[in-house]
């Protein structure tokens, strides 16, 4: 069972990487390249920041029988119930012929400046990473990180 | 100087897009000054009449000459890009796509905006370290080519291949969206009750350019496939474990992320610059308890020294309830003369309290908090010459108890070895609170640093446009040459700072050589980080420059013998030098 789960996990990782969104379509390189150029200023004007790429949260799952090596659907109790942190969900990856790799980040990896009014009515802003943390802040606004005592200058 | 310009190809030649973008004024870029060593362009993604193109009239403010809201926003972006661009070097244009949009907010809280790298790279030819993730802009700089050129088949349709994405809240300050506390678009950091957009941009661009890790602080796992550490991790060091984040296990990284005070930055340049930039902590030596109390800073008054000021501590009385707050003329002046006044916080400003104590003959002043915790006292009055130190409420109570019990002699001084923001091992501390603060932990400097730093998670209003120690971190990760300071403390690759004679007794000449004309500021600081004297502020010419210092402070009084820091600061220059003053 242990080996089976390990193989399952490895398989999941490979599949997740392989099916990550926006993999390069090398077969259409030239045509796509030309088509991707903004056709006009109007097109660009209408182009707001692209929504960060959605996260691929599902992937095909396979199981390899530890006895005969046959592929099959995993049994119910073999399906890993792993909660993967948002920052570890797959991202789009481009592997180049020279062996270099580019990963496309999304809003999970952006740094968000968030602000709330302090007891004195003055805005206090702080920095959190990822849209999830920004949303969490907005649900319960409070300075995510309080300056150490004595590091905020006060006049009275 | 900022101007609209076309976007050169990031490897040097023009792009087909160039003419279209220039014609429609969609792009703004930073100024090309004599020093501009990295070209950073802002790609304006807003449509007509919104965001950067908002035509609402506005009066120029704080050095921002824009006459519409949209222009002022764009000017702030180009100003932030200009500051970063004048510090970094890259043969490849750095592109930041940006827009103002309505983002989540309520009347009392808001998402101000976000910025971050759009890509990370590993394995590209030219990268200094193999098997690390690099933020795109740094990877392009080191590779010497644009790794995400327009039309790259790996990019989604319509993607411009920019390096950083930035999006900020266009509704801020409107009804229901942090009502009344909107953006401040000036460049002078005089934001008052508003939000200083330039400071926010400098901070967030810093993350997008490389000041962050892609490694999870909650699981300790490296990012991506292949799972690799970020180049940032190569310099994150756990002093307890004795391991860097590219050496330890996921479990060790999880523990390290909450190892408060012991997760540090261990890079050659930052290690050298940290002790020079950060300040010694104030300390009060007392004849009870452990023998010393941790003090807080004041931004005014005479300098605390390592040798310290020793005198009897006396509780000041002003005759008006509450009688120990020092807000009125001190009535026990005869008792206080030649002694150190102890005054409670509250009712009036710190400057008023200390001035009253000085007028009563006190030679030093201790301000005691009236709520739990410590504090730093700000204010300005050049006529105040006695040193000031603050105490927490608990420590102040113990001091007052001792005073009530009999004559109590104390010493106000700087801690000889403890520097605010440095670890026990002498490294600059990284933010590692326990419990883990998802999103803030690890990828920021620690909040204990004094003076406050741009890349702390809680931004403080005393920041300027200087990128302070972030310059050193960026040298460590490979943005800039790793050149150590010259003997004596010169800290810049472009400028050597020195003084002669040194040690000095009556006067000294501070000498620096600039590679080109530059607007700089030269000031003298004491070891607690307070400004003793601003010596020069303005544009200096290329070549050697000399500024004379007669050894007096801002009030014209001779400074006490000790070590002072001469700090030369420009948009791309930060040099510090020790000046020894003798009797």
């Amino acid at each position: 069972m242990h080996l089976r789960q390990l193989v399952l996990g490895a398989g999941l990782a490979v599949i997740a990487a392989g099916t990550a969104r926006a993999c390069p379509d090398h077969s259409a390189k030239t045509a796509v390249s030309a088509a991707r150029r903004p056709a006009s200023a109007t097109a660009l004007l209408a182009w707001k920041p692209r929504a960060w790429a959605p996260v691929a949260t599902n992937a095909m799952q396979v199981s390899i029988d530890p006895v005969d090596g046959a592929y099959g659907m995993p049994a119910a109790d073999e399906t890993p119930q792993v909660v993967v942190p948002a920052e570890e969900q797959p991202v789009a990856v481009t592997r180049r012929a020279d062996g270099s790799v580019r990963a496309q980040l999304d809003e999970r990896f952006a740094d968000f400046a968030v602000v709330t009014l302090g007891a004195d009515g003055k805005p206090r802003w702080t920095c959190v990473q990822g849209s999830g943390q920004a949303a969490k802040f907005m649900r319960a606004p409070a300075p995510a990180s309080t300056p150490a005592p004595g590091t905020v200058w006060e006049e009275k | 100087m900022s101007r609209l310009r076309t976007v050169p190809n990031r490897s040097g030649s023009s792009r087909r897009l160039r003419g279209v973008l220039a014609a429609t004024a969609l792009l703004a870029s930073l100024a090309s000054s004599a020093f501009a060593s990295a070209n950073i362009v802002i790609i304006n993604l807003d449509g007509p009449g919104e965001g950067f193109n908002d035509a609402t009239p506005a009066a120029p403010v704080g050095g921002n000459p824009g006459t519409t809201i949209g222009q002022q926003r764009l000017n702030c972006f180009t100003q932030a890009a200009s500051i970063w661009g004048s510090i970094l070097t890259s043969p490849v244009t750095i592109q930041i796509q940006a827009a103002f949009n309505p983002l989540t907010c309520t009347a009392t809280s808001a998402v101000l905006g976000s910025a971050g790298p759009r890509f990370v790279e590993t394995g590209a030819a030219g990268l200094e370290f193999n098997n690390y993730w690099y933020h795109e802009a740094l990877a392009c700089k080191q590779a010497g080519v644009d790794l995400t050129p327009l039309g790259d088949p790996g990019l989604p349709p319509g993607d411009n291949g920019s390096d950083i994405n930035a999006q900020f809240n266009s509704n801020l300050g409107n009804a229901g969206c942090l009502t009344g506390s909107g953006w401040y678009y000036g460049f002078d950091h005089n934001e008052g009750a508003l939000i200083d957009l330039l400071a926010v941009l400098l901070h967030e661009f810093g993350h997008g350019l490389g000041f962050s890790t892609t490694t999870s602080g909650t699981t300790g796992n490296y990012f991506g496939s292949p799972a690799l550490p970020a180049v940032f991790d190569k310099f994150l060091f756990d002093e307890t474990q004795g391991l860097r984040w590219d050496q330890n296990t996921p479990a060790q990284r999880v523990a390290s992320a909450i190892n408060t005070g012991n997760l540090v930055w261990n890079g050659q340049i930052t290690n050298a610059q940290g002790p020079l930039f950060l300040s010694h902590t104030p300390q009060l030596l007392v004849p009870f308890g452990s023998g010393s109390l941790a003090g807080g800073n004041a931004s005014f008054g005479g300098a605390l020294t390592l040798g310290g000021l020793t005198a009897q501590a006396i509780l000041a009385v002003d005759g008006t309830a509450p009688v120990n707050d020092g807000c009125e003329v001190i009535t026990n002046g005869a008792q206080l003369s030649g002694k150190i006044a102890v005054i409670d916080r509250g009712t009036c400003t710190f400057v008023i309290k200390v001035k009253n104590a000085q007028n009563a003959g006190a030679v030093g002043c201790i301000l005691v908090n009236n709520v739990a915790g410590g504090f730093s006292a700000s204010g300005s009055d050049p006529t105040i010459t006695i040193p000031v130190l603050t105490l927490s409420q608990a420590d102040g109570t113990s001091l007052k108890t001792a005073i009530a019990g009999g004559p109590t002699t104390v010493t106000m001084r700087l801690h000889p070895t403890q520097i605010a923001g440095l670890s026990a091992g002498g490294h600059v501390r990284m933010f590692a609170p326990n419990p883990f603060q998802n999103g803030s932990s690890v990828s920021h400097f620690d909040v204990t640093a004094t003076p406050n730093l741009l890349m702390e998670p809680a931004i403080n209003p005393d920041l300027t446009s200087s990128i302070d120690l972030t310059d050193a971190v960026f040298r460590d990760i490979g943005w800039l040459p790793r050149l150590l300071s010259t003997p004596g403390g010169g800290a810049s690759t472009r400028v050597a700072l020195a003084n002669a004679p040194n040690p000095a007794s009556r006067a000294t000449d501070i000498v620096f050589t600039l590679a080109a004309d530059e607007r700089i500021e030269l000031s003298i600081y004491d070891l607690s980080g307070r400004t003793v004297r601003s010596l020069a502020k303005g544009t200096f010419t290329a070549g050697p420059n000399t500024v004379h210092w007669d050894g007096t402070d801002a009030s014209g009084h001779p400074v006490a013998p000790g070590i002072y820091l001469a700090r030369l600061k420009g948009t791309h220059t930060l040099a510090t030098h020790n000046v020894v003053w003798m009797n």
Side-chain angles (χ1 to χ4, degrees), chain B residues 50-96:
Chain B
E50 63 155 347
F52 291 121
N53 306 316
D54 187 331
T56 305
V61 57
N64 186 334
T67 54
T68 67
I69 295 294
Q71 284 175 0
Q72 292 191 350
R73 288 170 171 166
L74 193 55
N75 288 344
C76 272
F77 268 69
T78 54
Q79 180 74 3
S82 177
I83 290 168
W84 276 114
S86 66
I87 293 161
L88 304 178
T89 61
S90 179
V92 182
T93 295
I94 300 165
Q95 294 187 332
I96 300 175

Side-chain angles (χ1 to χ4, degrees), chain B residues 88-304:
Chain B
L88 304 178
T89 61
S90 179
V92 182
T93 295
I94 300 165
Q95 294 187 332
I96 300 175
Q97 63 174 22
F100 271 81
N101 286 320
L103 302 178
T104 310
C105 53
T106 69
T108 56
S109 59
V111 174
L112 294 176
S114 67
R118 298 192 57 227
F119 308 96
V120 287
E121 300 271 356
T122 187
L127 297 189
E128 182 177 12
F129 302 113
N130 287 323
N131 298 317
Y132 291 87
W133 289 113
Y134 278 80
H135 286 38
E136 186 69 17
L138 178 55
C140 291
K141 174 242 168 48
Q142 294 202 348
V145 296
D146 185 0
L147 296 168
T148 55
L150 192 69
D152 184 292
L155 297 177
D159 197 310
N160 57 14
S162 55
D163 306 294
I164 293 172
N165 189 65
Q167 187 169 216
F168 282 77
N169 198 333
S170 58
N171 272 350
L172 201 71
N174 295 338
C177 185
L178 213 66
T179 314
S181 295
W183 292 113
Y184 179 71
Y185 298 118
F187 302 159
D188 56 358
H189 306 288
N190 188 25
E191 71 274 17
L194 302 178
I195 311 286
D196 185 351
L197 177 60
L198 181 57
V200 178
L201 292 176
L202 287 172
H203 179 99
E204 300 303 343
F205 285 4
H207 284 307
L209 289 165
F211 200 104
S212 64
T213 180
T214 47
T215 298
S216 170
T218 51
T219 66
N221 290 332
Y222 291 143
F223 167 79
S225 172
L228 295 173
V231 70
F232 196 81
D233 298 349
K234 192 171 180 62
F235 303 94
L236 288 174
F237 180 72
D238 189 295
E239 288 188 345
T240 307
Q241 299 167 5
L243 295 171
R244 301 189 312 248
W245 271 40
D246 62 341
Q247 297 173 319
N248 53 10
T249 65
Q252 287 174 318
R253 286 188 286 278
V254 170
S256 182
I258 56 173
N259 193 6
T260 309
N262 297 304
L263 176 64
V264 300
W265 186 266
N266 187 10
Q268 181 188 16
I269 304 302
T270 308
N271 290 348
Q273 292 301 314
L276 293 174
F277 189 85
L278 299 172
S279 302
H280 287 253
T281 57
Q283 185 185 40
L284 187 69
L285 300 182
V286 294
F288 57 86
S290 65
S292 68
L293 302 172
N297 289 297
S299 64
F300 58 94
L304 288 173

Side-chain angles (χ1 to χ4, degrees), chain B residues 15 29 49 105 126 147 169 189 224 265 338 392 400 431 448 481 511 526 548:
Chain B
R15 287 179 170 175
S29 83
C105 53
L147 296 168
N169 198 333
H189 306 288
W265 186 266
S392 70
K400 286 186 277 188
F431 188 54
T448 56
V511 181
D526 64 28
H548 185 77

